[in-house]
Amino acid sequence: MSPCPAPSARRPAIVAALCAVALAVTALTAAAPPERAAVSAAALPYQDPSLPVPERVDDLLGRMTLDDKLGQMTQVEKDALVPRSDLAAYRIGSVLSGGDSTVSPNNAQTWADTYDSLQRTALTTPLGIPMIYGIDAVHGHNAVRGATIFPHNIGLGATRDPALVERVGRAVAEEVAGTGIDWSFAPCLCVARDDRWGRTYESFGETPELPTAMTSFITGMQGDTLGADLASVLTTAKHYIGDGGTTGGVDQGDTRISEAELRAVHLPPFREAVRRGVGSVMLSYSSWNGVRSHAHEYLVTDVLKGELGFTGFVVSDWAAVDQLDGRTGFTGAEIATAVNAGVDMVMVPHDYKRFLSLLRAEVTAGRVPLARVDDANRRILTKKFELGLFERTLTVRSYTSTVGSAAHRALAREAVRASQVLLKNDGGVLPLPKTGKLFVAGKSADDIGNQSGGWTVGWQGRSGPVTEGTTVLQGIRAAVTDPSRVTYERYGNGIDGSYTAAVAVVGETPYAEMRGDRPDGLGLDQEDLQTLARLKASGVPVVVVLVSGRPLDIADRLPDWRALLAAWLPGTEGGGVADVLFGDHAPTGKLPMTWMRGAAQQPINDGDGKSPLFPYGHGLTYDTDPDPDPDPGPDPDPGPAKACTAEFRLVNSWPGGHQAEVTVENTGTGPVTGWTVDWDLGGATVGSLWNGTHTVADGRITVRNTTSDGTLSAGATTSFGFTASGPAGAPAPRCTAA
């Protein structure tokens, strides 16, 4: 018998489905052969792209066997599929590549070929349901050597630029789509509240407003509508919920806070992600007051799917369901608990045969209702149809060439320079003169792995030339007039007093979750300290470029440095750091995290009353107007120089309490350097308030700006939020400008 023609980007999955009927599937295992479903020779409703998605889903669900449905709820690591035919034999609905999973040779073309091969296998099932392939593209398509690596989220948060972050999302989507992959486990919307946590750099910031604003990344990756164009990639809001608030910053730990605080601090970014149409939500390994997220029906089903109205599907984290009882190895009870709590797809990722056998037993016994299975399938299939996977089954090769393209690298460089936060600049030592004699030192000055951090061509990342890009040193040499006047020695040896300045690029080496936790201190390592001591001894002005995934404990060293630039983890485009060092672009970044005076202050966050080294929102810039017009004259109709308004908005309410936001706008013609908002509480009691400081007297609350949000140019706005017990009422806030 002649083999079936291979499906392609232009040949719909129906070809594979009809061929499968003619040939029959021979790869089913003898141990647990999935049932078959008959497909007629004519096109079926679910294969008709002109029909509404709900009708297609209903038709397909009606044709699926129990094995088809259970397979859709299963996600397996690519390298665990042995033989590869098990993908079809067990009706597996999703494949993923874990953090260390790769292809050989590791390039975009091989990734695309691998995806297409797996998809062709998936399409040989009788119903021809395509798989969906997931990967952690968390700061670019970071598993692919040669891809553009953007700053990690902490740097993007420092840009305070949601539009830029949306453009970054689009660029990442194009590179991901160019390898065939259609689902990214990003963005992380955690609100990091303790810098000792090893995933701090995956957070856009410590207040809910920053991650909420940066959900623009979702729109960038998915588009305004999922599947609207060929580069649309399904996104994942993670990790639901509270992983950034664990006690002691312990990864996979317990977030021991009230529900009001959970809602006020950790829920807002997910609410906004749902509003933007995020396709999937990944649950957190962590617990809330002792109950693991993967077992929390109230948070997953009642709040996320019910209250927030999330219509996508919920996926577990890596082997997280297998952790519910604290022992290795799936049990039926663990699976039933997670699925009944609201998990729609389980990232197994290896022992898929045992998982499917146990899930089938739980359904057959009635411990997992068939209605729950159908709901999970409806959610998963809806996203597959919306993505267009049934029509566009294979890699869109026109995007393959965008992986690591010049345009994307230029965008990454723009993001790098926008993320730089100038924390100290005594005597205006920065910007550096391009004609100066410079000494560059530090372990991260010429190391693409260090400046990219974790999740870069490997889960934990590593030092060294892990991928292509421009190091900070290379960026410096490209920026100066004469590269021969730049000396580099990693350890600072050989410096003398003849240099204009010394640039020390120091900080953390790569890490990711678990290994990145630092409960015992956040200081620089011995190599960095010794390098810095050699530079200081020369008497040359020392400029420190700090490469790190979080604020570090550097207060006692700061007096030795003339300038300090927080570069975060900039990724592959080190030229963006040089752009700021030499003044081609003035620094504009603002701290997304409060910078501690010492590790003993952890956790430290904006508005908690602790005295930081640098407050949340701090960031210096260069003097771009040294000779301003001393008397520009008033506008023809200047109006009031200082005036502001305050608008109250109820964000959420629940029995006995509510959450609200107040937006302050400068309605005057001149800058506001401070503001005060007050109103009658009407019997309510404020529990927590962020982005402001408050006092209450005689039933009236007064909120004042913090050091980071008091200055507003004409027409600018800022906001603060709070949770309270009691009724919200209809307050009329009054604003006073200073």
Side-chain angles (χ1 to χ4, degrees):
M1 187 179 296
S2 301
C4 289
S8 70
R10 291 194 178 92
R11 183 179 290 119
I14 180 61
V15 173
L18 296 179
C19 286
V21 174
L23 298 180
V25 176
T26 59
L28 301 180
T29 61
E35 304 167 27
R36 298 187 176 214
V39 181
S40 65
L44 300 169
Y46 78 88
Q47 295 158 341
D48 184 353
S50 69
L51 292 178
V53 167
E55 290 186 24
R56 299 178 74 182
V57 172
D58 285 343
D59 180 71
L60 179 54
L61 267 177
R63 301 175 189 279
M64 293 169 69
T65 66
L66 180 58
D67 288 298
D68 290 325
K69 294 176 180 179
L70 302 185
Q72 288 300 304
M73 298 172 68
T74 307
Q75 186 179 55
V76 180
E77 216 292 327
K78 166 178 65 69
D79 296 333
L81 283 167
V82 180
R84 288 291 177 91
S85 58
D86 273 1
L87 178 60
Y90 286 88
R91 308 290 197 268
I92 304 300
S94 181
V95 176
L96 83 149
S97 283
D100 289 322
S101 181
T102 188
V103 297
S104 183
N106 185 354
N107 57 45
Q109 185 69 42
T110 311
W111 278 97
D113 292 344
T114 301
Y115 174 91
D116 287 354
S117 174
L118 289 165
Q119 190 67 284
R120 287 189 179 100
T121 300
L123 294 170
T124 61
T125 56
L127 291 172
I129 303 175
M131 67 159 187
I132 185 169
Y133 198 120
I135 199 165
D136 288 276
V138 298
H139 64 140
H141 201 3
N142 43 257
V144 182
R145 185 178 177 93
T148 309
I149 305 300
F150 292 86
H152 267 297
N153 284 356
I154 192 171
L156 294 180
T159 71
R160 296 295 205 277
D161 191 342
L164 173 63
V165 170
E166 183 173 334
R167 290 162 56 208
V168 169
R170 172 64 189 195
V172 176
E174 290 179 357
E175 297 203 12
V176 171
T179 62
I181 296 172
D182 28 57
W183 179 16
S184 173
F185 303 136
C188 185
L189 298 180
C190 52
V191 182
R193 305 289 287 176
D194 192 317
D195 299 336
R196 292 171 292 187
W197 185 39
R199 306 191 78 153
T200 295
Y201 65 77
E202 295 187 58
S203 173
F204 290 110
E206 70 181 33
T207 67
E209 290 77 19
L210 257 183
T212 298
M214 298 309 176
T215 56
S216 56
F217 184 87
I218 294 167
T219 303
M221 286 204 78
Q222 292 191 168
D224 291 329
T225 304
L226 185 63
D229 63 70
L230 298 176
S232 180
V233 171
L234 191 84
T235 58
T236 308
K238 66 180 190 183
H239 303 86
Y240 185 83
I241 181 178
D243 54 340
T246 60
T247 300
V250 175
D251 190 55
Q252 303 187 21
D254 191 12
T255 301
R256 297 196 289 270
I257 57 177
S258 67
E259 181 170 350
E261 185 174 349
L262 186 77
R263 286 176 172 272
V265 176
H266 299 282
L267 190 62
F270 290 94
R271 182 184 302 278
E272 179 62 14
V274 171
R275 190 193 69 79
R276 286 182 180 269
V278 69
S280 66
V281 169
M282 182 182 292
L283 301 184
S284 174
Y285 283 117
S286 62
S287 304
W288 176 44
N289 294 333
V291 180
R292 288 185 180 269
S293 296
H294 285 76
H296 216 302
E297 185 174 0
Y298 171 69
L299 289 179
V300 180
T301 297
D302 296 348
V303 177
L304 177 63
K305 294 181 175 180
E307 180 183 320
L308 270 60
F310 175 60
T311 59
F313 63 91
V314 172
V315 63
S316 78
D317 208 333
W318 177 280
V321 171
D322 188 16
Q323 293 186 6
L324 290 182
D325 64 3
R327 296 186 297 273
T328 301
F330 278 115
T331 65
E334 287 177 313
I335 295 169
T337 295
V339 173
N340 287 334
V343 175
D344 301 307
M345 182 185 290
V346 176
M347 192 183 293
V348 175
H350 295 110
D351 195 1
Y352 54 92
K353 295 177 184 178
R354 176 171 174 78
F355 169 77
L356 281 165
S357 176
L358 290 171
L359 177 56
R360 172 180 264 279
E362 294 302 302
V363 174
T364 302
R367 290 185 289 270
V368 174
L370 188 57
R372 175 77 269 273
V373 172
D374 284 346
D375 173 61
N377 271 260
R378 184 178 301 280
R379 291 170 176 272
I380 295 164
L381 292 172
T382 294
K383 296 307 168 187
K384 288 186 175 184
F385 279 117
E386 289 176 354
L387 268 174
L389 294 183
F390 284 77
E391 289 71 54
R392 300 188 297 269
T393 56
L394 301 186
T395 303
V396 182
R397 300 282 173 152
S398 60
Y399 282 109
T400 307
S401 62
T402 71
V403 177
S405 67
H408 289 172
R409 290 186 182 277
L411 175 61
R413 183 170 178 169
E414 178 186 348
V416 171
R417 61 183 180 241
S419 71
Q420 304 299 288
V421 181
L422 182 60
L423 297 172
K424 179 180 180 180
N425 192 24
D426 280 2
V429 66
L430 293 179
L432 295 170
K434 293 185 178 182
T435 56
K437 184 181 179 185
L438 301 175
F439 194 99
V440 181
K443 66 175 182 287
S444 296
D446 197 30
D447 194 306
I448 206 80
N450 283 358
Q451 73 187 44
S452 296
W455 290 106
T456 306
V457 197
W459 172 36
Q460 294 287 328
R462 60 183 173 85
S463 301
V466 297
T467 191
E468 288 75 45
T470 301
T471 66
V472 175
L473 175 64
Q474 290 169 332
I476 289 173
R477 285 179 168 156
V480 298
T481 303
D482 182 359
S484 69
R485 288 174 61 79
V486 176
T487 299
Y488 168 66
E489 206 287 322
R490 171 171 173 162
Y491 304 101
N493 294 311
I495 189 172
D496 58 36
S498 67
Y499 290 90
T500 307
V503 179
V505 189
V506 296
E508 295 185 301
T509 51
Y511 58 85
E513 57 197 288
M514 294 191 292
R515 297 180 201 173
D517 284 5
R518 293 184 63 176
D520 300 320
L522 291 163
L524 297 172
D525 63 24
Q526 283 303 305
E527 179 184 331
D528 286 345
L529 294 175
Q530 291 168 6
T531 300
L532 289 163
R534 294 185 187 103
L535 300 181
K536 177 191 175 186
S538 72
V540 170
V542 177
V543 174
V544 173
V545 176
L546 196 61
V547 172
S548 68
R550 53 192 150 196
L552 297 183
D553 187 352
I554 47 86
D556 59 341
R557 309 289 171 176
L558 189 60
D560 297 340
W561 310 337
R562 288 282 295 278
L564 173 59
L565 186 69
W568 312 112
L569 298 171
T572 54
E573 307 314 305
V577 179
D579 288 339
V580 172
L581 286 175
F582 293 96
D584 291 322
H585 293 271
T588 57
K590 303 296 181 184
L591 282 182
M593 308 283 180
T594 301
W595 204 289
M596 76 200 101
R597 288 189 178 274
Q601 283 187 314
Q602 290 294 333
I604 181 171
N605 293 288
D606 186 46
D608 63 8
K610 298 178 183 178
S611 175
L613 181 63
F614 301 111
Y616 175 85
H618 177 73
L620 306 175
T621 191
Y622 304 147
D623 184 2
T624 57
D625 188 13
D627 187 23
D629 182 351
D631 186 19
D635 291 333
D637 183 17
K642 295 182 181 295
C644 63
T645 60
E647 181 179 351
F648 178 94
R649 181 174 72 90
L650 183 64
V651 174
N652 190 28
S653 63
W654 55 90
H658 62 276
Q659 177 185 339
E661 179 181 82
V662 176
T663 299
V664 178
E665 180 179 1
N666 178 2
T667 54
T669 59
V672 166
T673 57
W675 48 261
T676 302
V677 176
D678 64 295
W679 71 93
D680 194 316
L681 286 170
T685 302
V686 171
S688 62
L689 186 143
W690 53 96
N691 285 3
T693 61
H694 73 284
T695 57
V696 176
D698 299 324
R700 193 167 185 86
I701 185 171
T702 300
V703 180
R704 293 178 175 83
N705 61 275
T706 66
T707 55
S708 63
D709 63 0
T711 301
L712 299 175
S713 58
T717 63
T718 188
S719 63
F720 62 87
F722 64 92
T723 59
S725 59
R734 179 182 61 186
C735 185
T736 305

